[in-house]
């Protein structure tokens, strides 16, 4: 593998996951790679490709979270000229580009349900259909997918297709976080430190002082190996004496007495009795805005949308057409929203 793609580690937990990936590489079956951010999911995907019979074929990577939902299907499956606004010419999708090789889908859990359905057909039957075309195209692609989510839990919540999970989970390689890799922090720190010292032109590698090494070993590393690499390389380049061991570690690069204060997120309280939703509402004026923390924007928006729907349904005595008028939605739009939140049975 390339220098940047080298596996570094000696712990049993880490070596066990690498061995599992190596054994699965030779089989022409899909593999799921699960792990926290910065644990090396991309490296495992590359290993699965390089050790397979497809090593001479293309390795195509797609980050499912990097594209808006409206473009994901076009990116995966391609499109014909004129299929939608802006589609001026025929474009191959990632499946066609990966024909004869491996397609690595990162952040798999962010795929929409529509894209999941088409992905299931592509993996099940080995054929894709470009958007705007009715002619399926045969492809020979091995799927390797990665996520930091617990997919069975998403299936229970209705956010991921159970049949797609069954199809992709022939083998699941779960990467341990760095805090669980006993003895690997000193090995990784030394590796990244030596490489940075060589890049800076130091005559030799002085290592870390006992105090600095202890700080590195005791840190929890929420960002795992990616965070460790940044911390070590930052410590090396900020150290002014290349002939003495590095004795200063800066875990937070944003730490400064002059850093700006974060603006709080302000939302309306979530009590249903304080929600107004449309011209038919006779509810009291909402309570004053309060400041709360929000660490999941999508979940917060979905939760607020469900509260609005429930409140409007109660005011309209669960009459769907009256509720649609109150919320300034079409009847079909309201039905789609109710189905998304499992409210259809309450709005009979």
């Amino acid at each position: 593998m390339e220098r940047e793609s080298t596996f570094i580690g000696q712990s049993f937990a880490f070596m066990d996951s690498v061995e599992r990936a190596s054994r699965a590489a030779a089989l022409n079956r899909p593999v799921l790679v699960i792990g926290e951010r910065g644990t090396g999911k991309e490296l495992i995907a590359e290993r699965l490709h390089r050790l397979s019979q497809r090593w001479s074929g293309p390795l195509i990577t797609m980050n499912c979270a990097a594209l808006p939902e409206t473009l994901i299907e076009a990116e995966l499956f391609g499109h014909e000229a004129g299929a939608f606004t802006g589609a001026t010419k025929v474009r191959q999708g990632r499946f066609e580009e990966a024909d004869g090789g491996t397609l690595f889908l990162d952040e798999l859990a962010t795929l929409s349900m529509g894209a999941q359905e088409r992905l299931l057909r592509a993996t099940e039957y080995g054929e894709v259909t470009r958007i705007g075309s009715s002619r399926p195209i045969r492809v020979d692609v091995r799927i390797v997918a990665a996520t930091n989510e617990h997919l069975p839990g998403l299936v229970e919540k209705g956010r991921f297709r159970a049949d797609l999970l069954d199809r992709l989970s022939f083998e699941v390689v779960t990467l341990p976080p760095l805090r669980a890799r006993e003895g690997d922090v000193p090995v990784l720190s030394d590796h990244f430190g030596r490489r940075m010292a060589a890049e800076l032109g130091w005559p030799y590698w002085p290592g870390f002082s006992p105090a600095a090494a202890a700080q590195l070993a005791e840190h929890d590393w929420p960002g795992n190996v990616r965070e460790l690499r940044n911390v070590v390389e930052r410590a090396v380049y900020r150290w002014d004496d290349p002939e003495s061991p590095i004795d200063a570690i800066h875990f937070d690069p944003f730490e400064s007495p002059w850093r700006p204060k974060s603006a709080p997120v302000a939302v309306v309280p979530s009590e249903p009795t304080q929600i107004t939703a449309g011209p038919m509402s006779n509810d009291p004026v909402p309570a004053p805005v309060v400041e709360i923390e929000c660490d999941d924007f999508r979940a917060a928006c979905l939760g607020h949308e469900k509260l609005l729907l429930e409140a409007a349904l109660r005011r309209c005595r669960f009459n769907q057409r009256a509720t649609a008028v109150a919320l300034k939605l079409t009847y079909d739009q309201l039905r789609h929203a109710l189905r998304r939140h499992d409210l259809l049975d309450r709005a009979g």
Side-chain angles (χ1 to χ4, degrees), residues 29-242:
R29 297 290 188 278
V31 177
L32 281 177
V33 185
I34 313 295
E36 297 179 7
R37 59 186 174 95
T39 51
K41 296 186 290 295
E42 301 89 348
L43 296 182
I44 290 293
E46 183 178 350
R47 187 176 187 85
L48 286 164
H49 175 70
R50 300 300 178 195
L51 297 182
S52 73
Q53 297 297 319
R54 300 170 177 267
W55 64 271
S56 60
L59 171 60
I60 303 298
T61 298
M62 175 176 164
N63 188 332
C64 302
L67 293 170
E69 183 176 328
T70 53
L71 295 180
I72 286 179
E73 292 190 47
E75 192 72 17
L76 273 175
F77 308 109
H79 59 75
E80 298 290 341
F84 50 84
T85 303
T88 57
K89 59 182 180 180
V90 175
R91 186 188 185 285
Q92 286 188 340
R94 300 296 178 92
F95 266 95
E96 291 181 73
E97 293 175 359
D99 190 26
T102 303
L103 177 59
F104 174 48
L105 299 177
D106 201 6
E107 303 291 348
L108 176 73
T110 62
L111 280 180
S112 66
M113 296 300 286
Q116 290 179 33
E117 183 175 357
R118 296 194 65 179
L119 177 61
L120 174 64
R121 179 170 183 81
T123 55
E124 189 76 33
Y125 301 106
E127 60 182 30
V128 297
T129 303
R130 294 175 184 164
I131 295 176
S133 173
S134 58
R135 180 176 61 87
I137 301 172
R138 297 290 300 178
V139 290
D140 177 21
V141 175
R142 182 192 193 180
I143 300 292
V144 176
T147 182
N148 57 6
E149 298 271 7
H150 181 57
L151 293 180
L154 297 186
V155 170
E156 293 178 0
K157 296 176 183 177
R159 291 171 49 194
F160 199 84
R161 293 182 63 103
D163 44 6
L164 178 59
L165 180 60
D166 292 339
R167 186 68 182 86
L168 295 179
S169 58
F170 167 77
E171 180 62 285
V172 179
V173 178
T174 303
L175 298 177
L178 185 55
R179 59 185 174 274
R181 293 170 53 176
E182 186 176 356
D184 278 358
V185 169
V187 175
L188 286 161
S189 300
D190 185 74
H191 169 74
F192 292 132
R194 287 178 182 276
R195 193 166 64 180
M196 189 64 183
E199 184 177 336
L200 295 173
W202 288 11
Y204 61 91
W205 168 236
F208 292 98
S209 70
Q215 283 184 279
L216 292 171
E218 293 169 2
H219 190 63
D220 195 45
W221 302 113
N224 294 290
V225 179
R226 187 181 294 122
E227 180 189 5
L228 172 65
R229 174 179 174 176
N230 284 338
V231 169
V232 169
E233 291 183 346
R234 183 165 57 245
V236 173
Y237 109 88
R238 288 185 179 182
W239 190 244
D240 294 328
D241 185 5

